[in-house]
Amino acid sequence: QVQLVESGGGLVQPGGSLRLSCAASGSIFRIDVMGWYRQAPGKERELVAVISSGGGTNCASSVKGRFTISRDNAKNTVYLQMNSLKPEDTAVYYCNAGYWSGPTYYPYWGQGTQVTVSS
C-alpha cells in the first residue's frame, strides 16, 4: 500500500502562484510514476502532469509553460509549481502514484486539495 498526503492548495488571485506538495509513504519502493490530476466541478478528472522515477515528465497542453512538476526521491515527495494561474485552473488537485506489475498499472490517490483562482 502507498499513502499520499497533499498540501499547498488554497485561494489565489489570477496571475498568482501556488506550490503543491505530495508526500508518499508505505510501499514507496514500488512507485514508478507520480503525478497530479485535477477535477473541476461538473468535469471529468484530467491529467495535469506526471513524472517518472527517472525524471521524465509530461504535462497537459493547457498548463505547459506555467506549471512545473518535480520530484525529490530522497523525500518521496512530488511537487507542482503553478505560476500564472487562471480561473480555469480552479479544481480539486489529486496526487497520484503508481507502479507497473507486468501489464497492469496500480494507481494510488491522495485525498485532494482545493485550488481556487479568483479575484
Side-chain angles (χ1 to χ4, degrees):
Q1 291 292 325
V2 174
Q3 294 79 42
L4 303 172
V5 178
E6 301 128 331
S7 60
L11 173 65
V12 64
Q13 292 186 343
S17 297
L18 281 175
R19 188 194 196 203
L20 304 183
S21 300
C22 173
S25 60
S27 300
I28 55 177
F29 63 93
R30 308 192 70 172
I31 294 174
D32 295 316
V33 179
M34 297 187 76
W36 293 92
Y37 290 70
R38 67 186 181 186
Q39 188 167 19
K43 295 187 177 181
E44 293 187 353
R45 191 173 297 189
E46 63 176 2
L47 180 145
V48 177
V50 293
I51 184 168
S52 69
S53 57
T57 62
N58 189 28
C59 67
S61 57
S62 60
V63 305
K64 195 163 291 185
R66 300 188 297 122
F67 291 12
T68 302
I69 189 170
S70 60
R71 180 171 176 172
D72 186 334
N73 290 326
K75 295 183 178 180
N76 304 313
T77 300
V78 64
Y79 305 97
L80 186 68
Q81 179 66 43
M82 304 186 292
N83 299 328
S84 302
L85 282 159
K86 304 176 181 180
E88 51 263 44
D89 295 317
T90 295
V92 178
Y93 284 69
Y94 295 91
C95 180
N96 171 273
Y99 65 92
W100 291 95
S101 180
T104 304
Y105 182 70
Y106 294 88
Y108 294 91
W109 295 95
Q111 79 283 358
T113 185
Q114 177 71 46
V115 171
T116 302
V117 185
S118 175
S119 55

